Amino acid sequence: MLHFDTDYMRGAHPEVMRRLQETNLDQTTGYGTDPHTAHARELILQACGLQQGAVYFLAGGTQTNATVIDSVLARHEGVIGAETAHINVHEAGAVEATGHKVIALPAHNGKIDPAELEAWLESFFADGTYEHMVIPGMVYISQPTELGTLYSLGELEAISRICRSRGIVLYADGARLGYGLASEACDATLEDLARLADVFYIGGTKVGALFGEAVVVTRPELFAHAVTNIKRRGALMAKGRLLGVQFETLFTDGLYLELAANAVDKAMQIKRIFTEAGYALAIDSPTNQQFFVLPNAVMDRLHEHATFELWGPRGPKETMVRFVTDWATSQADVDELARLVELAAQP
Amino acid sequence: MLHFDTDYMRGAHPEVMRRLQETNLDQTTGYGTDPHTAHARELILQACGLQQGAVYFLAGGTQTNATVIDSVLARHEGVIGAETAHINVHEAGAVEATGHKVIALPAHNGKIDPAELEAWLESFFADGTYEHMVIPGMVYISQPTELGTLYSLGELEAISRICRSRGIVLYADGARLGYGLASEACDATLEDLARLADVFYIGGTKVGALFGEAVVVTRPELFAHAVTNIKRRGALMAKGRLLGVQFETLFTDGLYLELAANAVDKAMQIKRIFTEAGYALAIDSPTNQQFFVLPNAVMDRLHEHATFELWGPRGPKETMVRFVTDWATSQADVDELARLVELAAQP
Amino acid sequence: MLHFDTDYMRGAHPEVMRRLQETNLDQTTGYGTDPHTAHARELILQACGLQQGAVYFLAGGTQTNATVIDSVLARHEGVIGAETAHINVHEAGAVEATGHKVIALPAHNGKIDPAELEAWLESFFADGTYEHMVIPGMVYISQPTELGTLYSLGELEAISRICRSRGIVLYADGARLGYGLASEACDATLEDLARLADVFYIGGTKVGALFGEAVVVTRPELFAHAVTNIKRRGALMAKGRLLGVQFETLFTDGLYLELAANAVDKAMQIKRIFTEAGYALAIDSPTNQQFFVLPNAVMDRLHEHATFELWGPRGPKETMVRFVTDWATSQADVDELARLVELAAQP
Amino acid sequence: MLHFDTDYMRGAHPEVMRRLQETNLDQTTGYGTDPHTAHARELILQACGLQQGAVYFLAGGTQTNATVIDSVLARHEGVIGAETAHINVHEAGAVEATGHKVIALPAHNGKIDPAELEAWLESFFADGTYEHMVIPGMVYISQPTELGTLYSLGELEAISRICRSRGIVLYADGARLGYGLASEACDATLEDLARLADVFYIGGTKVGALFGEAVVVTRPELFAHAVTNIKRRGALMAKGRLLGVQFETLFTDGLYLELAANAVDKAMQIKRIFTEAGYALAIDSPTNQQFFVLPNAVMDRLHEHATFELWGPRGPKETMVRFVTDWATSQADVDELARLVELAAQP
């Protein structure tokens, strides 16, 4: 059985496991005060081209979003996101649980449109009653988005400019950041992101780590009293060095992007397999998530030998589906999928 | 200068003031344990045709919404409302401040469409990932809505049936309930509302009281430990009898509806004045809020002698405006407005 | 039947009622943007001897405490208070509901001891793990305390100095402030309080108003975005002018202190009545709350003709009780009580 | 350099690492729906002697406490704990951040006294104003406590009986549960705890796992909608099987207790080393944390070759210190410490 359900079905890249094993019996101080964490911080700031900045390591994405958003916003502020934003849909209200509203803007293939954002802010602050409303204090984007799409450099620059002109924080959720950066379609580098966003996180859980996300704060004063705030949200790992060791490994010798490149390469092959077989793209994604519209009969036959998710409800005749690759997807997996797609086309 | 900005510009109906004055030096116990509050409860349950039920008195609308919603929902549940719902727009995130998400559905003249609600719930619970989402625990409607429109009896019945079939609480915000009930267009009585909703509040602040809202809980077990929960939200008035005395007065000899009828009568006259003068209705409201589209020149001339709100931004040529009447709007006010409209039409 | 249960059993001082009546049909804008509120602000700043500062009006004490504390603290900070502090005991967790811990210090007749406060802070910040603890961001005191006692000028100066040396906000709950200021034992004036505290509130509900508390912020930047924060907590009155009119009245011609003086005068007479009859003071209070230890037989006989509270559980032989006076307690009330005490002593 | 600072300085027991490695490239579904998690659940229920019950796996202790307490309590309830309780001191207000008060009772060597608990509850509910207070909904105990001490079976039975008689949930924080169960002084077995507590967690992070805590809910209805509630607090691991694999390993062939027994054995040796050398016990702990009072000179000399924590501030002449062992502390470590203690005694 092949598995293309999602990118967190396996453990960690072997090199990450090797380093965890190697350091396993070392004794270090806790809560991220160890040398591995310090080293990982340094490597990440360097990769981001940042002279200064703070880096914090947390265990998972929802935890990271809730902690960052609550810690950076003033209590009366909310966070703007696309309707399809992970924080708006799939985090069980974790942001609202911290007391902050998610203000949803229309999503265009998972993205906020900069012009719509600007118009919305314009109209918000022009409204004489805005003091009775949730004040927008942050814009949340996902890079790549929940639908695998990417913000272009131009879009990031536009959104960043809009945010800065209004004193609004720009925060990028990079749960799958590697799979974005490794895409040929991506014209915004990690350094660009570090220059344009105020806070963002580099996802490890889905990109080669056992677990872990690295929060980069380019203006550290935004996330004051970080240790206390992270602890308060139950997100301060006792054995913080586990996160340090993992990111140290991923950011040594370009492993992070190398891993990601494999997933994107395999995803592009899968895209070709389906489109060449005549199936429509549901969304045109240049990253490791691929979305197709399949006739139900084809989908059902594929499901006998491969797992993958329905994206939305089963339709009467055809259904939208998602195939996800990761750092470990092999050429053999792709070749076998190609064979299955061919077979499934034959009634 | 005439004032049609809103319905909370004045104090209380003279009869309410008289009773507050009359009881002013009485000494009663606090926190709503006094005989006036008990009597007001009884009168309200009677007016609602309820054999049993609980009634709580709070000082204002936002406070009431946040207290009721937080107290009735389980912590992981959210509240569904129209995009234009007061809780979604104009309460500065008071609901989110209690940890609950407002789930916005499209608004149709301020109303949720029952069929859309049903389809949304159907699709929500059909989604295999719904445990990762905010579970809908309540539907919030405003009767009348923020745009002056009314749910018909049929719509209320449909929404109530949908809610009950899914174990979801139906809560009606009645900040202007009187102005709805007094409308000729309203085919749903107070008794209907009490039969169809699980919780609702009868607004006093905008309908004759100095301040105060009466929360009616038709299934009291929904709002357990009410005193503690109201206190916890800072909404338990020390001199609770002030609320009791006011609602006792409003619900004696039909004063509440009588007051409301005046506002609706005056609003209908104003509607005729504008439409007969050839101006378009922005929204066709049968209650005390009236919305017109006025040429900017006319609007500006009117503004010299009357205050009223722009509903949205000033347009290039014409602008949407709102005129609001209340229990104290006089025939003289309306006649004077008619004269002003006539004058304003002359360039 | 005489009533000495508490100081919120009656309505408002007749002059307050007169002004509410007089302005009842005026139409003003809402949410505290009216001229009465502006005037009340000015009068209060003047009474406080403040050149600048912000004043906000809220409807009740618990609401005020929760709103101020949540708005002034950073999210990871807590508030220090005496174990007997109202916020720690009798507000149903309203402060914790906003996400902040109440850090309780020992109470000495309801008061924090400055030396203990200083030692506690010293030890807190000397602890290497303090980043894993709730950081103290505010000290909360009540003036007078929940037990009727008063902080001396020296104590206030000491606490203020300690707070300022550590960048901690000093907040004074003045629910009964008038009854403190009017006491002969009080050597700290309103101007002193305004000089030494960063935020405090002047209680109206218990001191002559129908309801209402005036929050004075001597360093306005501490309470930024106040309108939005007050609205977010459901504490922004639509008819804000009701609060403005009341405080305008109370702070015209010294009415506030005059009212308070009556209560204190009557309380001192009651103190003499009981002590001269040989009963012990449970607490030696110089303000409008008086605490005695009464033999149960005496207490029971008094209870036949007067209501007052047991302060704690009924003891086997004697019980601690509380008698409270207010701005309206009359000489006749006191004389009648004297007679009852005399009678009750006779078996 | 020897390290006795704490029990989370190393990674995981080699057998846990071996199993993580072995399963690393398997693909399983996420969020704890995998077979390893199911198996771990079964093993744990079996070890607890529970026919039914729910088990959830979370990544860390503070996260677990905040999630369990918030999910189990009604919104207006608080949690009673000893003054020294971890939730009251060292979790940066994580419980208050969820809106619940921690009600602190006096600590006796880290423990709540059952008689004091009973008296407190008795007096709380006898107070006529209790509806204005935070209602106690849970008792939190740590087994072993933060000071290494243990509740006896008799104490646990008494506390459980008190809780059940009042409908209050009993929750035990077992961050170091293994080190308690493995102590000869412990007369309460895991089965006893499962019988007497309603919810408790079995700590993995400090007892052989890389990270992870297993929450056992003996009355599953207490923790309804657990997936959504855990997700809402950011505590639902994407790769849930990492937790499953670890606890599966720890609860196979008695590994968990075996590991713990090593730590306790070494701790008892250390206790003897210091007491036989004439140093006083600061606390008499039968588990893996040992507390001594050392002359400063001795402490300083030891610190040249071993790390351990000061427990409180450095005293003028002597200081309280803590030595902690774990599953990996070796006989060589202990022997070396013995040598150092001997040396340090020689001026």
Side-chain angles (χ1 to χ4, degrees), chain D residues 258-331:
Chain D
E258 189 186 302
L259 291 180
N262 176 70
V264 177
D265 169 55
K266 300 302 181 288
M268 292 305 102
Q269 292 189 43
I270 290 175
K271 185 187 226 170
R272 276 194 303 276
I273 289 168
F274 280 96
T275 52
E276 289 176 3
Y279 303 115
L281 290 177
I283 297 157
D284 187 0
S285 153
T287 64
N288 76 315
Q289 299 186 82
Q290 294 298 318
F291 302 85
F292 309 106
V293 182
L294 296 186
N296 290 347
V298 170
M299 178 177 74
D300 292 344
R301 279 195 291 267
L302 279 175
H303 256 154
E304 288 167 29
H305 303 286
T307 62
F308 52 90
E309 288 192 356
L310 274 64
W311 202 251
R314 183 186 176 99
K317 291 199 172 159
E318 51 188 26
T319 300
M320 187 169 162
V321 299
R322 182 182 74 157
F323 282 75
V324 188
T325 60
D326 68 16
W327 51 272
T329 305
S330 68
Q331 190 59 44

Side-chain angles (χ1 to χ4, degrees), chain A residues 16 42 56-57 110 142 147 157 201 240 244 247 260 276 278 302 326 333:
Chain A
V16 169
E42 222 174 273
Y56 304 101
F57 299 98
S142 310
L147 304 182
E157 282 173 337
Y201 82 82
F247 275 94
E276 289 176 4
L302 279 175
D326 67 16
D333 294 338

Side-chain angles (χ1 to χ4, degrees), chain B residues 31 70-73 75-76 99 131-133 135 225 227-229 231-232 236, chain D residues 31 70-73 75-76 99 131-133 135 225 227-229 231-232 236:
Chain B
Y31 303 113
D70 184 40
S71 300
V72 169
L73 287 183
R75 75 198 69 70
H76 65 292
E131 282 190 306
H132 291 219
M133 302 187 198
I135 309 294
H225 301 281
V227 170
T228 309
N229 275 295
K231 179 77 183 171
R232 179 174 179 262
L236 190 67
Chain D
Y31 303 114
D70 184 40
S71 300
V72 169
L73 289 183
R75 74 197 69 69
H76 65 290
E131 281 189 308
H132 290 221
M133 303 186 198
I135 309 294
H225 300 281
V227 169
T228 308
N229 275 295
K231 180 77 184 168
R232 179 174 180 261
L236 191 66

Side-chain angles (χ1 to χ4, degrees), chain A residues 70-71 73 75 131 225 228, chain C residues 70-71 73 75-76 131 228:
Chain A
D70 184 39
S71 300
L73 288 182
R75 71 197 72 67
E131 281 190 308
H225 300 282
T228 309
Chain C
D70 184 40
S71 300
L73 287 183
R75 74 197 69 69
H76 65 289
E131 282 191 307
T228 309

Side-chain angles (χ1 to χ4, degrees), chain D residues 74-236:
Chain D
R75 74 197 69 69
H76 65 290
E77 293 175 339
V79 52
I80 294 174
E83 244 180 321
T84 49
H86 205 255
I87 55 168
N88 193 43
V89 182
H90 274 118
E91 301 193 352
V95 169
E96 289 86 357
T98 70
H100 299 284
K101 190 182 186 72
V102 178
I103 304 164
L105 291 195
H108 304 276
N109 278 329
K111 295 192 286 180
I112 293 174
D113 178 73
E116 282 180 13
L117 172 65
E118 188 153 32
W120 188 91
L121 288 169
E122 182 70 33
S123 140
F124 178 89
F125 287 109
D127 186 324
T129 67
Y130 82 81
E131 281 189 308
H132 290 221
M133 303 186 198
V134 174
I135 309 294
M138 181 188 267
V139 169
Y140 164 101
I141 57 173
S142 309
Q143 177 78 332
T145 70
E146 294 75 10
L147 304 183
T149 54
L150 285 166
Y151 285 92
S152 69
L153 179 56
E155 288 169 330
L156 291 176
E157 282 173 337
I159 293 175
S160 179
R161 183 188 48 70
I162 294 163
C163 287
R164 287 183 182 163
S165 75
R166 298 230 178 237
I168 289 175
V169 170
L170 176 57
Y171 169 52
D173 177 330
R176 295 187 168 101
L177 186 55
Y179 300 136
L181 295 174
S183 165
E184 282 192 11
C186 187
D187 64 350
T189 64
L190 184 56
E191 298 199 12
D192 289 326
L193 193 62
R195 180 171 52 83
L196 298 170
D198 301 298
V199 193
F200 63 97
Y201 81 84
I202 302 173
T205 300
K206 291 172 176 163
V207 194
L210 260 192
F211 59 88
E213 328 294 327
V215 177
V216 181
V217 192
T218 66
R219 292 160 51 206
E221 71 279 11
L222 288 177
F223 197 170
H225 300 281
V227 169
T228 308
N229 275 295
I230 293 171
K231 180 77 184 168
R232 179 174 180 261
R233 302 228 60 85
L236 191 66

Side-chain angles (χ1 to χ4, degrees), chain C:
Chain C
M1 186 69 89
L2 295 174
H3 298 291
F4 296 100
D5 310 52
T6 185
D7 35 19
Y8 46 82
M9 302 186 80
R10 290 175 171 99
H13 185 270
E15 183 62 13
V16 169
M17 287 306 285
R18 197 182 62 76
R19 286 291 295 152
L20 284 174
Q21 186 75 58
E22 212 168 63
T23 58
N24 186 48
L25 293 179
D26 294 356
Q27 284 178 290
T28 59
T29 53
Y31 303 113
T33 61
D34 64 281
H36 298 288
T37 300
H39 188 210
R41 277 200 176 104
E42 221 175 275
L43 291 170
I44 285 175
L45 287 179
Q46 206 175 305
C48 293
L50 289 168
Q51 302 299 330
Q52 52 179 14
V55 182
Y56 304 101
F57 299 97
L58 285 85
T62 296
Q63 185 180 92
T64 300
N65 285 333
T67 301
V68 167
I69 292 170
D70 184 40
S71 300
V72 169
L73 287 183
R75 74 197 69 69
H76 65 289
E77 293 175 338
V79 52
I80 294 174
E83 245 180 321
T84 50
H86 205 254
I87 53 167
N88 193 43
V89 181
H90 274 119
E91 301 192 353
V95 170
E96 288 86 357
T98 70
H100 299 284
K101 187 180 189 72
V102 178
I103 302 164
L105 291 194
H108 303 276
N109 279 329
K111 295 193 284 181
I112 291 173
D113 177 73
E116 282 180 13
L117 172 64
E118 188 153 32
W120 188 91
L121 288 169
E122 182 71 31
S123 139
F124 179 88
F125 286 109
D127 187 324
T129 67
Y130 82 81
E131 282 191 307
H132 290 220
M133 303 188 197
V134 174
I135 309 294
M138 181 187 269
V139 168
Y140 165 101
I141 58 174
S142 310
Q143 176 78 329
T145 70
E146 294 75 10
L147 304 182
T149 54
L150 284 167
Y151 284 91
S152 69
L153 180 54
E155 288 169 329
L156 291 176
E157 283 174 335
I159 292 175
S160 180
R161 182 186 49 70
I162 294 164
C163 287
R164 285 179 186 170
S165 75
R166 298 223 177 245
I168 289 175
V169 170
L170 177 56
Y171 170 51
D173 177 332
R176 294 186 169 101
L177 186 56
Y179 300 137
L181 296 173
S183 166
E184 284 192 9
C186 188
D187 63 350
T189 64
L190 183 55
E191 298 201 12
D192 290 326
L193 193 61
R195 179 171 52 83
L196 298 169
D198 303 296
V199 193
F200 62 97
Y201 81 84
I202 302 173
T205 300
K206 292 172 176 165
V207 195
L210 261 191
F211 59 89
E213 328 294 328
V215 178
V216 181
V217 191
T218 66
R219 293 160 51 205
E221 71 278 12
L222 288 177
F223 197 170
H225 301 280
V227 169
T228 309
N229 276 297
I230 293 171
K231 180 75 183 171
R232 178 172 180 262
R233 301 228 60 86
L236 190 67
M237 271 213 126
K239 299 182 188 170
R241 73 129 184 267
L242 296 177
L243 294 160
V245 167
Q246 293 185 80
F247 276 93
E248 201 179 19
T249 309
L250 291 172
F251 278 83
T252 295
D253 298 336
L255 182 58
Y256 186 71
L257 281 187
E258 188 186 304
L259 292 180
N262 176 70
V264 177
D265 169 56
K266 299 303 181 290
M268 293 305 103
Q269 292 189 45
I270 290 174
K271 186 186 224 171
R272 277 194 300 277
I273 290 168
F274 280 97
T275 53
E276 288 176 3
Y279 303 115
L281 290 176
I283 297 157
D284 186 0
S285 153
T287 64
N288 78 315
Q289 300 186 83
Q290 294 298 318
F291 302 85
F292 309 106
V293 182
L294 296 186
N296 289 346
V298 170
M299 176 176 77
D300 292 344
R301 280 194 292 267
L302 279 174
H303 257 154
E304 287 167 30
H305 303 286
T307 62
F308 52 91
E309 288 192 357
L310 274 63
W311 202 251
R314 183 187 177 97
K317 292 197 171 163
E318 52 187 27
T319 301
M320 186 169 163
V321 299
R322 183 182 73 157
F323 282 76
V324 188
T325 61
D326 68 16
W327 52 271
T329 305
S330 69
Q331 191 58 47
D333 294 339
V334 174
D335 294 345
E336 174 64 6
L337 180 62
R339 205 182 59 87
L340 292 174
V341 170
E342 203 172 328
L343 283 175
Q346 298 157 7

